[in-house]
Amino acid sequence: MRVGIRISSLVPSGLVIESVSESSDSIILAVRSEGDAAGCPLCGARSRRIHSRYDRRVADLPCSGKEIRLRVITRRFVCEVPQCRRRIFAERFGDDILPTRSRRTARLECIVHHLGLALGGRPAASFAKRLMLPVSNDTLLRVVRRRTRPRTEPLIVAGIDDWAFRKNHRYGTIVCDLERRRIVTLLPDREIATVRAWLSDHPEIRVVSRDRGGGYGEAAAKALPDAVQVADRWHLMENASAAFLNAVRRSMRVIRAAIGATTINPKLLTCAERLQYEGYLRRKQTNAAIMELVRDAVPLKEIVRRTGHSRKLVRQVSRGESTDVFRTRQSTLDAHLPFLDAQWSEGCRNGAELWRRLQGQGFRGSLRVVSEWTTRRRRAEKATNQQLQKVPSARTISRLMTTARDNLSKADTITIAAIEARVPTLVEARMLVESFQAMVRKKLFADLDPWIATASLSLIASFASGIIRDKAAVRAAITEPWSNGQTEGQITKLKLVKRQMYGRAKIDLLQARLKGAI
């Protein structure tokens, strides 16, 4: 069944076709307005008196694999109002048909705009070429910038967070409308003065959701003293977990004694572990030198200058956050040690034979791993009763202590039981962290003050001090429905758009693409 195409359907509504000419790759349509009068753009009076005519060349949507070009016959009219300063004016076709001085129809401009929003410059230009749309990459970006419209809705609940132009070098600030789930603006940096100035220009804000960094809180307090500040709940949970991990790190020496690995015999170490042990001894000497200067009340800057170490390392050692404990490497043999012990007790002492038997048990490691184990085992039998026991890392201990006992292996359960029996302060810290996280999840804000009083005397006292300093925002995080989760989601979208432009776009184009894509 043949379906005919009406020529009049190829042009936007409000235009009438005068003539049609066709070439191998395009169709040229001569069109005019269907009206017989036009309004003066200055005074608004309508006129029927035609002064002259001229042609406008306009691009339109393609059809059947050919470009459509419009030759718009535009009339000039005479304004007959004596007081009007505009004597002659050209007719307007309406912004929804053909905007003033535009070289594209409104419907083609809309397609170009959305291509620019979705793909950017060069990728969108390449795709537009396949769609038979005559547009360049610069034009696409100009359209995206030009069609950006400022938000007119009042901003009541704002979410603020930072994002990276280049990680660890340069950062900006994103502001979101949490009620409408939209990006409001991007700021070129995360300085307190910049954020404070922007917030001062928006006194209608009643709630500010932010992370637990002090900069945004200080800016909001100065610019909007009556606004409610809400700390991000995810950051509260993460900070609590990090506080427990720091408590485990500070307790590693006691943990090592609890596990029973207080003595290290270098003769029992493999080659790789011996190198690791030497590095541990160097770090131990470094920490001792820094702590000696700290006890002599030497300022941190002077310690950095004397030792040549970074300020971060000196600060961590002075606060007790860098307590190195030597531990052997985690091995792929750990899961097969019971089988190896049984085979060794039965008299199989050949490394290659043990490796072949292990392969039958599903072991995928190399022969060298088993050979190192047999060498260590022979040395251990010839040495004294001092045995090198493996001490898990602080992160592993933290994970095991916060995992349900039903999900732990027998060996892990014995290790954690020994730690809990010898380090009760660590058990108290774990219970405090769990109670804090439960308080945030269940919104039990009445338990906050008693929790702070207890935690201030525990291993997570520094975390409790941070809660005290930001107590109002933490209380609001427990009671208010707002949080910075959706702001983090907008940052994820921002990263996608920024990487599409390979980091070469200015902040105004990045903002235009993000705000226009909503």
Side-chain angles (χ1 to χ4, degrees):
M1 179 179 179
R2 297 182 60 186
V3 179
I5 298 178
R6 296 178 58 186
I7 297 297
S8 60
S9 64
L10 298 179
V11 298
S13 60
L15 299 179
V16 178
I17 296 178
E18 289 284 329
S19 62
V20 179
S21 60
E22 185 176 356
S23 64
S24 59
D25 59 347
S26 63
I27 300 175
I28 301 176
L29 304 177
V31 298
R32 61 173 176 82
S33 174
E34 61 183 3
D36 57 355
C40 175
L42 199 60
C43 65
R46 298 187 64 80
S47 173
R48 296 176 179 271
R49 183 179 170 186
I50 299 175
H51 176 271
S52 57
R53 293 176 175 83
Y54 69 95
D55 291 347
R56 289 177 60 184
R57 303 288 179 170
V58 178
D60 197 12
L61 295 176
C63 178
S64 301
K66 292 187 176 183
E67 295 182 4
I68 301 295
R69 300 185 181 277
L70 303 183
R71 184 170 65 86
V72 184
I73 302 172
T74 307
R75 296 170 293 183
R76 293 189 180 95
F77 288 86
V78 177
C79 183
E80 298 179 331
V81 177
Q83 294 82 10
C84 183
R85 293 178 296 172
R86 181 73 62 86
R87 305 307 304 160
I88 299 173
F89 63 90
E91 63 179 328
R92 269 63 171 172
F93 298 93
D95 291 339
D96 57 340
I97 300 175
L98 182 61
T100 305
R101 297 183 179 87
S102 176
R103 300 179 64 182
R104 289 175 296 276
T105 59
R107 58 189 185 183
L108 177 57
E109 183 89 352
C110 182
I111 298 297
V112 169
H113 180 223
H114 284 284
L115 280 175
L117 288 178
L119 300 177
R122 281 188 173 85
S126 177
F127 188 57
K129 185 177 180 181
R130 292 178 173 84
L131 296 178
M132 305 293 294
L133 301 179
V135 62
S136 67
N137 56 336
D138 291 333
T139 299
L140 283 156
L141 299 183
R142 278 197 299 269
V143 170
V144 170
R145 281 188 168 102
R146 185 176 66 247
R147 290 175 70 94
T148 303
R149 297 290 182 268
R151 300 292 179 190
T152 57
E153 304 92 346
L155 178 60
I156 306 300
V157 183
I160 301 179
D161 206 347
D162 57 358
W163 57 277
F165 282 101
R166 185 183 175 193
K167 193 172 182 180
N168 297 329
H169 288 80
R170 183 186 171 203
Y171 287 83
T173 298
I174 184 172
V175 183
C176 298
D177 186 342
L178 299 187
E179 288 184 309
R180 299 173 180 84
R181 298 179 177 270
R182 295 175 178 175
I183 295 176
V184 176
T185 189
L186 300 179
L187 303 180
D189 54 51
R190 56 180 180 181
E191 299 296 328
I192 296 177
T194 303
V195 179
R196 179 184 177 183
W198 190 90
L199 291 175
S200 299
D201 295 336
H202 297 78
E204 71 277 7
I205 297 177
R206 294 291 176 263
V207 178
V208 178
S209 177
R210 55 171 177 81
D211 60 15
R212 298 199 63 234
Y216 292 135
E218 182 180 347
K222 293 180 179 178
L224 304 169
D226 297 330
V228 177
Q229 295 190 37
V230 181
D232 182 40
R233 283 189 287 274
W234 182 89
H235 281 94
L236 284 174
M237 307 288 275
E238 195 273 338
N239 294 154
S241 299
F244 180 67
L245 177 58
N246 290 333
V248 173
R249 285 173 175 161
R250 290 195 298 271
S251 306
M252 283 303 292
R253 296 191 183 279
V254 186
I255 291 173
R256 188 177 183 86
I259 295 176
T262 56
T263 304
I264 297 174
N265 188 350
K267 295 180 180 180
L268 302 181
L269 297 175
T270 63
C271 181
E273 289 172 346
R274 191 175 299 111
L275 293 175
Q276 186 181 7
Y277 181 62
E278 292 171 357
Y280 156 72
L281 293 178
R282 289 194 298 270
R283 292 193 301 273
K284 187 176 180 181
Q285 293 175 356
T286 298
N287 294 350
I290 293 175
M291 287 306 299
E292 184 178 355
L293 294 174
V294 170
R295 285 191 290 269
D296 293 340
V298 179
L300 291 184
K301 286 186 177 180
E302 182 63 19
I303 296 176
V304 171
R305 189 185 67 80
R306 291 186 187 181
T307 61
H309 298 297
S310 66
R311 180 180 178 85
K312 179 180 179 182
L313 175 62
V314 173
R315 186 169 58 246
Q316 287 179 341
V317 174
S318 64
R319 294 177 179 177
E321 298 175 0
S322 180
T323 54
D324 290 310
V325 174
F326 174 72
R327 64 180 186 276
T328 57
R329 295 179 299 165
Q330 299 295 319
S331 173
T332 54
L333 279 177
D334 289 350
H336 303 276
L337 288 179
F339 176 79
L340 281 175
D341 289 333
Q343 294 295 315
W344 189 272
S345 301
E346 292 176 2
C348 182
R349 306 298 175 92
N350 184 275
E353 179 60 26
L354 286 172
W355 176 64
R356 284 190 290 270
R357 295 183 184 183
L358 274 177
Q359 284 186 317
Q361 300 292 323
F363 180 64
R364 294 292 180 265
S366 65
L367 172 61
R368 181 173 176 271
V369 177
V370 182
S371 300
E372 286 185 353
W373 181 85
T374 56
T375 302
R376 186 208 301 256
R377 188 64 180 260
R378 292 191 188 97
R379 290 176 181 176
E381 290 180 349
K382 295 178 182 179
T384 62
N385 294 328
Q386 297 174 349
Q387 297 294 324
L388 177 64
Q389 299 188 23
K390 294 193 174 183
V391 180
S393 66
R395 189 174 295 275
T396 301
I397 294 175
S398 175
R399 175 177 58 81
L400 294 177
M401 290 191 68
T402 54
T403 302
R405 291 296 176 88
D406 296 340
N407 298 326
L408 297 179
S409 64
K410 182 178 180 180
D412 291 339
T413 302
I414 294 174
T415 300
I416 296 305
I419 294 174
E420 291 178 346
R422 294 288 299 275
V423 196
T425 55
L426 203 55
V427 178
E428 180 190 11
R430 182 191 62 187
M431 295 176 62
L432 287 170
V433 168
E434 290 176 350
S435 63
F436 178 81
Q437 293 178 341
M439 178 172 54
V440 174
R441 290 191 185 98
K442 298 178 182 179
K443 299 185 179 299
L444 304 175
F445 64 92
D447 298 341
L448 183 59
D449 291 334
W451 182 90
I452 291 175
T454 306
S456 299
L457 304 175
S458 67
L459 290 178
I460 58 171
S462 60
F463 175 65
S465 300
I467 296 296
I468 293 174
R469 289 192 298 268
D470 206 15
K471 186 176 179 180
V474 173
R475 184 182 294 275
I478 298 175
T479 58
E480 295 288 335
W482 307 108
S483 191
N484 237 24
Q486 61 169 289
T487 307
E488 299 287 351
Q490 297 287 6
I491 292 176
T492 302
K493 181 168 68 174
L494 183 151
K495 290 178 181 177
L496 172 65
V497 176
K498 181 173 69 71
R499 287 165 184 162
Q500 278 185 338
M501 299 187 291
Y502 303 103
R504 291 194 290 266
K506 293 183 179 180
I507 191 172
D508 63 325
L509 178 59
L510 182 61
Q511 178 173 282
R513 287 191 62 185
L514 289 169
K515 294 173 68 174
I518 297 173

